[in-house]
Amino acid sequence: MSMIFFACVVRVRDGLPLSASTDFYHTQDFLEWKRRLKTLGLRLAQYPGRGSAGGRDFSIHFSSFGDVACMAICSCQCPAAMAFCFLETLWWEFTASYDTTCIGLASRPYAFLEFDSIIQKMKWHFNYVSSSQMESSLEKIHEELKLQPPVVLTLEDTDVANGVMNGHTPMPLEPAPNFRMEPVTALGILSLILNIMCAALNLIRGVHLAEHSLQVAHEEIGNILAFLVPFVACIFQDPGSWFCWLAHTS
């Protein structure tokens, strides 16, 4: 009889799944527990090395050390010592196969796909090998659980809190500040009028000089530019004043 239904290896700091066993169970209840396992995987950094969350038909166990954690969905009849013995064995096998650099650089889910078959074989071994063949290992884990009991989580701890799924916390939405343009002051209007007058005067003088200098030496071009440049400068000197004046008068 199967007692360990699903197992996976995740990265503790962000809950990224690195490898997982093949899933042959598709009942609604089991899928709900997989969702709970995924949610719990995002919060592993908050809990100590070992923990469990139990329900009517299934239970979740996890064991973490360093940046790697192993998690499993088991039958409620599965002894805790057996579940944690499986997870500890899985942890040693994974960390012996991959160094911390590879684990830290993993950027996509299930980056260590080739390890899935090892999880599957190990899961089969613990499901179908008699307890007497693992007696020494189970006894060791049993004593450790007596000295340091795993943290017991409630089902609420595995629920998806608002904004927790995928590791994102919703940012509070604040209304955007409402800016209104202030009316142009009398001094601003005076400055705008003077700029317009100076620009017009420079334009008239520049055009008049150009009309009488078309056949004159090239040095006269400098004189023409001497009037046209101030005209352009007046136009672009205070574009904000132009805009504000137009908005005020419209």
Side-chain angles (χ1 to χ4, degrees), residues 1 8 10 26 40 77 85 96 107 121-122 147 155 159 203 212 216 218 225 234 240-242 245 249:
M1 176 182 177
C8 64
V10 302
H26 302 287
L40 183 59
Q77 286 74 38
C85 184
S107 58
K121 291 177 182 177
M122 196 174 299
L147 296 175
L155 294 183
D159 282 336
L203 178 62
H212 294 81
V216 187
H218 291 289
L225 293 178
C234 289
S241 298
W242 286 82
W245 181 76
T249 55

Side-chain angles (χ1 to χ4, degrees), residues 70 87-98 115 118-119 122:
C70 296
L87 293 175
E88 184 174 291
T89 305
L90 183 61
W91 186 91
W92 281 109
E93 187 70 27
F94 185 83
T95 54
S97 302
Y98 305 100
F115 193 77
I118 298 177
I119 300 179
M122 196 174 299

Side-chain angles (χ1 to χ4, degrees), residues 39-227:
T39 304
L40 183 59
L42 298 172
R43 306 175 183 172
L44 286 177
Q46 304 175 17
Y47 302 114
R50 287 172 178 161
S52 301
R56 186 182 63 182
D57 299 319
F58 300 100
S59 59
I60 294 175
H61 302 280
F62 67 86
S63 179
S64 64
F65 185 78
D67 200 31
V68 174
C70 296
M71 308 180 72
I73 300 176
C74 304
S75 166
C76 286
Q77 286 74 38
C78 179
M82 178 178 175
F84 286 112
C85 184
F86 165 75
L87 293 175
E88 184 174 291
T89 305
L90 183 61
W91 186 91
W92 281 109
E93 187 70 27
F94 185 83
T95 54
S97 302
Y98 305 100
D99 57 33
T100 54
T101 303
C102 292
I103 296 170
L105 292 176
S107 58
R108 58 182 177 84
Y110 307 105
F112 305 99
L113 191 64
E114 65 278 3
F115 193 77
D116 293 5
S117 60
I118 298 177
I119 300 179
Q120 195 69 15
K121 291 177 182 177
M122 196 174 299
K123 184 164 68 75
W124 184 93
H125 176 79
F126 275 81
N127 279 334
Y128 297 104
V129 173
S130 63
S131 300
S132 59
Q133 295 178 265
M134 300 182 290
E135 185 174 356
S136 60
S137 298
L138 292 176
E139 185 64 28
K140 174 179 174 292
I141 296 295
H142 187 69
E143 291 299 322
E144 290 180 3
L145 295 179
K146 282 184 178 180
L147 296 175
Q148 292 182 328
V151 61
V152 178
L153 307 178
T154 64
L155 294 183
E156 287 74 17
D157 294 321
T158 62
D159 282 336
V160 181
N162 290 334
V164 172
M165 182 60 76
N166 298 326
H168 298 295
T169 303
M171 298 297 293
L173 297 178
E174 297 181 357
N178 187 15
F179 296 103
R180 293 190 62 186
M181 297 180 63
E182 296 183 358
V184 182
T185 62
L187 183 61
I189 296 176
L190 178 61
S191 175
L192 180 62
I193 293 174
L194 291 177
N195 278 331
I196 294 174
M197 293 177 62
C198 290
L201 182 59
N202 284 316
L203 178 62
I204 293 172
R205 294 173 66 185
V207 172
H208 179 72
L209 183 60
E211 290 177 350
H212 294 81
S213 304
L214 292 177
Q215 298 180 353
V216 187
H218 291 289
E219 57 266 16
E220 294 295 333
I221 297 178
N223 296 331
I224 299 173
L225 293 178
F227 292 104

